[in-house]
Amino acid sequence: MDRVRAGLARGLEQVTGRALGPYQSAVVRIGFAGTWLFFLLREFPNRGELYGPDGPWSWALAERLTTSNGAFSVLMWSGSTVWFEIVYAVAVLASAGLLLGWRTRAMSVLFMVGVLSLQNRSVFMGDGGDNVIHLMAIYLVLTRCAQVWSLDARRARRGAASAGAAGPVLWGVLGAVYAYGAVTGRFGAGWLAAFAAVWVMCGLWWLVDRYEPEGEGRAVLDVLANLLHNAGMLVIMAEVCLIYATAGWYKIQGSRWQDGTALYYPLGLDYFTPWPGLSALLAGSGTAVMLLTYGTVAAQVAFPFTLFNRRIKNVLLGVMMLEHAGIAVLLGLPFFSLAMIAADAVFLPTGFLVWVGARVAVRRAVSAEPALAPAEPAPSTSGG
C-alpha cells in the first residue's frame, strides 16, 4: 500500500506540478496555426465564395442549420459583407498571433472562434484536415502551448509576463464582444458558460500575476492551469490515436482497400493529380500500389499500439509523416497533410525537438552576427 500511495503521490505531483510536453504543445500550436493561416491567405481571393455571402450555401441556409444543430459561428450574428470581412480578418490575425505565440491565451480563443465560425458557416467546404483543425482549435485553448518558442516565453524570461497594456485592452475588447453576445442571446448556454469561465479565469490570472506573483493564489492557478494543460494534451494524443485507429479499421473492412483501387482510382482523377506524369508512373506499377495500400492500412492500425515501445513509435511516426507528405505531393492535398503532420507532432520525442530548437537558435545567432569588417591593406614596404 505504501508503494501504491507513493506512486500515486508522484503521479499527482507530475500532473499538477508542471505542464508536460512543452515542446510538443508548441509544435502543435505552430503547426495548426500555420496551416490555418496559410489556408486563409491562399483562399483570400475566394473567401466570399467559400464562407461569405457569395457562396452557394446561403446565410439563410447556414442559419437554419446552426439553429438546428447548435453549432457556434459568429458569422450568424449578421449577414452583412462588412461583418464577414471583419471576422475573416480577425481569423487571419489570430492565426498569425497564435503562430508567433503573442498573448497566446487570447489568441487561442480568437483562433478557435475564427475556425469554428468559418467552418460552421459553410459545412460542406471542408475535408478531413478541416475536421482535425476544428477539434484541435478547441483543445489548444486548454493548453499552455507558449512555454517555449513564443513571444510570450521571451517576455516571461525578461520578467515581464503581464507587462504592457496590450493584454488588458485585448481582454477588455473580448469582454465587450462577449457581453454584447450574451445580452442579445447570440450564445447557447454551453458557449455562454465556457466563454465566461475563460474570461474570468484569465482576468484572475492577470490580477494575481501582476500583484501577487509569488503568493498562494498564483500557486493555485498554476496547478489548475497545469491540470487543464495535461488533460488537453492527453485528449489531443487520444484524438490522434482514434483518428488512425478508426481510419485503419474501416479501411480493412472496405473492398477498395483490399484490392488497391482506393489508391489507384484517385491517381487517375484530374482533381487529385497535380503531377500527372508522377501519378501515371505510380499507377502503372501494381507492386507500388499494393505496397502503399497495404502499408497505409498496416501503419494506421498499428500506430496506437506502438506507443508502448518508444523506438518503434518513433520509426512509425516518421513513416506516417512521410506518408502525409506524399499525399500532399501526389494528391494535391497540402493542408490536409499539414494538419495531420501537426497532429502527429504531439508524439515527437522531446530530445529531438530540443535538438532542432538548438540548431535553429545557433543558425539565428550566426545569421544575426554582423559581417566582419574587411581587413585593412598591409602598409607598403617599397621605398619612395
Side-chain angles (χ1 to χ4, degrees):
M1 289 298 295
D2 291 338
R3 290 183 179 179
V4 173
R5 291 175 181 174
L8 291 175
R10 286 194 299 269
L12 184 61
E13 183 180 359
Q14 284 286 326
V15 172
T16 60
R18 63 192 180 97
L20 302 174
Y23 291 95
Q24 288 81 357
S25 62
V27 173
V28 171
R29 182 199 86 230
I30 294 170
F32 280 104
T35 300
W36 187 241
L37 175 63
F38 297 152
F39 174 79
L40 293 179
L41 294 178
R42 192 195 72 169
E43 299 297 341
F44 189 81
N46 309 312
R47 63 193 184 281
E49 289 79 7
L50 286 175
Y51 303 113
D54 301 329
W57 188 249
S58 67
W59 187 87
L61 291 173
E63 184 185 32
R64 183 186 303 177
L65 180 61
T66 54
T67 301
S68 63
N69 62 14
F72 171 78
S73 176
V74 297
L75 287 176
M76 295 296 98
W77 291 11
S78 172
S80 69
T81 302
V82 174
W83 177 241
F84 165 73
E85 296 292 349
I86 292 174
V87 173
Y88 199 93
V90 170
V92 171
L93 294 176
S95 301
L98 187 62
L99 175 67
L100 298 174
W102 180 79
R103 304 292 176 179
T104 310
R105 185 65 66 188
M107 290 299 108
S108 66
V109 174
L110 285 175
F111 178 76
M112 178 190 69
V113 170
V115 169
L116 298 186
S117 297
L118 292 173
Q119 290 187 355
N120 289 336
R121 166 63 176 82
S122 299
V123 294
F124 299 109
M125 294 298 177
D127 55 22
D130 293 294
N131 293 337
V132 175
I133 295 174
H134 190 106
L135 294 171
M136 297 301 174
I138 300 174
Y139 302 151
L140 280 173
V141 176
L142 303 176
T143 64
R144 307 181 74 175
C145 54
Q147 291 184 303
V148 297
W149 300 343
S150 68
L151 297 179
D152 287 349
R154 186 176 68 174
R155 189 170 64 250
R157 287 195 299 269
R158 296 176 178 177
S162 299
V169 170
L170 185 59
W171 283 106
V173 173
L174 292 178
V177 174
Y178 168 77
Y180 168 78
V183 170
T184 56
R186 306 289 185 177
F187 296 114
W191 287 109
L192 189 69
F195 284 124
V198 171
W199 195 86
V200 170
M201 290 302 297
C202 288
L204 287 175
W205 186 280
W206 182 84
L207 289 173
V208 171
D209 194 49
R210 187 173 182 87
Y211 297 106
E212 196 181 0
E214 303 296 334
E216 293 182 359
R218 172 58 189 270
V220 172
L221 291 177
D222 267 325
V223 169
L224 292 176
N226 291 337
L227 282 172
L228 285 176
H229 168 90
N230 295 329
M233 292 296 289
L234 180 62
V235 171
I236 290 174
M237 290 187 287
E239 188 69 41
V240 174
C241 292
L242 184 63
I243 289 172
Y244 284 129
T246 53
W249 286 106
Y250 272 112
K251 286 180 174 67
I252 288 177
Q253 301 174 49
S255 60
R256 298 301 182 187
W257 284 93
Q258 294 175 14
D259 57 24
T261 54
L263 175 61
Y264 177 80
Y265 285 153
L267 292 174
L269 299 176
D270 292 338
Y271 185 80
F272 293 109
T273 52
W275 310 98
L278 183 59
S279 298
L281 179 64
L282 180 60
S285 173
T287 302
V289 171
M290 181 195 69
L291 291 176
L292 289 175
T293 301
Y294 281 84
T296 298
V297 175
Q300 291 182 347
V301 171
F303 182 76
F305 301 100
T306 63
L307 300 182
F308 299 101
N309 188 296
R310 182 176 301 178
R311 293 183 179 179
I312 299 178
K313 181 265 295 183
N314 292 338
V315 172
L316 194 57
L317 187 62
V319 171
M320 301 295 288
M321 289 185 171
L322 289 175
E323 175 192 341
H324 291 304
I327 291 174
V329 175
L330 286 174
L331 301 181
L333 298 172
F335 296 106
F336 166 79
S337 299
L338 285 174
M340 291 308 304
I341 291 173
D344 293 342
V346 73
F347 294 107
L348 286 173
T350 302
F352 171 74
L353 294 176
V354 171
W355 177 81
V356 171
R359 296 288 294 178
V360 172
V362 169
R363 288 183 177 274
R364 288 180 58 189
V366 171
S367 62
E369 290 180 357
L372 296 176
E376 295 183 1
S380 175
T381 57
S382 60

